[in-house]
Amino acid sequence: MTVDLAPRGRTRPGSGAGLRATARAVACADGRGGTALPVLDGEGPLALRRTRSTGPAARVTLVGAMSGPLGGDHLTVEVAAREGAALRIGSAAATLALPGQARETARYDVRLTVAEGAELHWLPEQLISVCDSDLRVTTRAEVAAGGRLVLREEQVLGRTGEAPGRLTSRLTVRYAQAPLLDQELSCGPGAPGGWDGPAVLAGYGALGQLIVVRPEFERHKPQAAPLGEWGALTPLAGPGVLVTVVAPDALRVRRMLDEALRDLT
């Protein structure tokens, strides 16, 4: 028998109904050269924990307190870095999109806001699309002029030896209220034809995106370039660059994104 334990006494509804849960984090300058977290709150499967930091940036880890997202769930993460704050958010483990009892699409929404003079690193672990699951992920980042953002997303299509579920991921980044990036990828059963063909994933099962937004890219921005066998760097129409990697496995995706991040920051 498996028992799910949820903060605040929340329990997962029965068949036909999905769970709704939101996690919120707000970071602000503490006036002493560091970063305070006046808001750090999670519910359901979304638990936020402050972890040790050796520099001025605050560190937060997103911990899965129960299984999810399952079919019909709607999970939301909202993060705001206010002026002068520096915040780094990661996750304790990979997220598994699972089919669940409800044969409905699950939703996972991420909302990131970066104020002028603030810096936010959003670096979760991989999202694994399990066979028969159906998940729509929407990530939106609003960066004010003078703000800095590092955003990494990684998707793995199916566990070892299994077919993927349906996964649709939309990533939108705006800088100074102007569009910087807006892209959507849909994979798995029922996705538009060609998603696993040579023009998209070429049969590979792991992919990742890295967005780096820095004010200095307004003046000096890296040039477009291939990154080894599986990646590419693309400058955006604004102070940002996009690194895209499509590879046979998640380990190679992570290594290439980590190397690109070191070079860019």
Side-chain angles (χ1 to χ4, degrees):
M1 179 177 70
T2 300
V3 178
D4 281 334
L5 300 178
R8 299 183 177 180
R10 291 178 64 97
T11 57
R12 185 176 295 283
S15 176
L19 180 146
R20 305 293 185 267
T22 300
R24 297 182 179 89
V26 176
C28 62
D30 64 5
R32 303 185 302 273
T35 298
L37 296 171
V39 177
L40 193 63
D41 183 42
E43 57 188 17
L46 303 173
L48 293 172
R49 300 288 183 264
R50 182 162 191 169
T51 48
R52 180 176 298 179
S53 174
T54 57
R59 291 182 179 269
V60 171
T61 300
L62 181 62
V63 180
M66 57 193 288
S67 58
L70 306 184
D73 287 356
H74 187 180
L75 309 182
T76 304
V77 178
E78 300 174 351
V79 179
R82 294 177 177 166
E83 186 173 356
L87 177 60
R88 297 172 180 265
I89 297 188
S91 57
T95 297
L96 270 69
L98 300 167
Q101 296 181 349
R103 293 296 179 180
E104 302 174 21
T105 300
R107 293 177 56 189
Y108 198 136
D109 296 333
V110 178
R111 304 289 180 262
L112 309 175
T113 305
V114 185
E116 180 180 358
E119 182 169 350
L120 173 62
H121 289 220
W122 173 255
L123 302 170
E125 294 300 309
Q126 296 90 351
L127 169 64
I128 302 174
S129 177
V130 173
C131 184
D132 294 329
S133 66
D134 186 355
L135 175 64
R136 181 174 183 88
V137 181
T138 304
T139 303
R140 296 178 183 172
E142 290 280 350
V143 185
R148 298 169 182 266
L149 173 69
V150 174
L151 187 158
R152 182 186 70 207
E153 289 190 341
E154 298 167 295
Q155 296 92 25
V156 180
L157 305 182
R159 293 172 293 193
T160 302
E162 75 172 8
R166 173 71 180 270
L167 175 62
T168 300
S169 176
R170 182 167 183 177
L171 174 59
T172 305
V173 181
R174 292 170 56 87
Y175 182 83
Q177 300 184 341
L180 192 63
L181 176 71
D182 192 345
Q183 68 175 26
E184 181 172 291
L185 177 65
S186 187
C187 307
W195 65 269
D196 55 351
V200 187
L201 299 186
Y204 292 140
L207 62 150
Q209 299 81 232
L210 174 70
I211 308 293
V212 179
V213 180
R214 296 168 65 87
E216 52 266 40
F217 285 166
E218 293 273 21
R219 302 181 301 275
H220 305 289
K221 187 159 46 181
Q223 298 298 309
L227 301 176
E229 184 177 352
W230 298 294
L233 183 150
T234 305
L236 302 174
V241 297
L242 167 67
V243 175
T244 304
V245 177
V246 177
D249 56 70
L251 180 59
R252 289 184 235 203
V253 170
R254 174 63 60 85
R255 284 175 175 171
M256 293 190 67
L257 293 180
D258 283 349
E259 182 177 347
L261 181 58
R262 286 193 294 269
D263 291 341
L264 290 169
T265 59

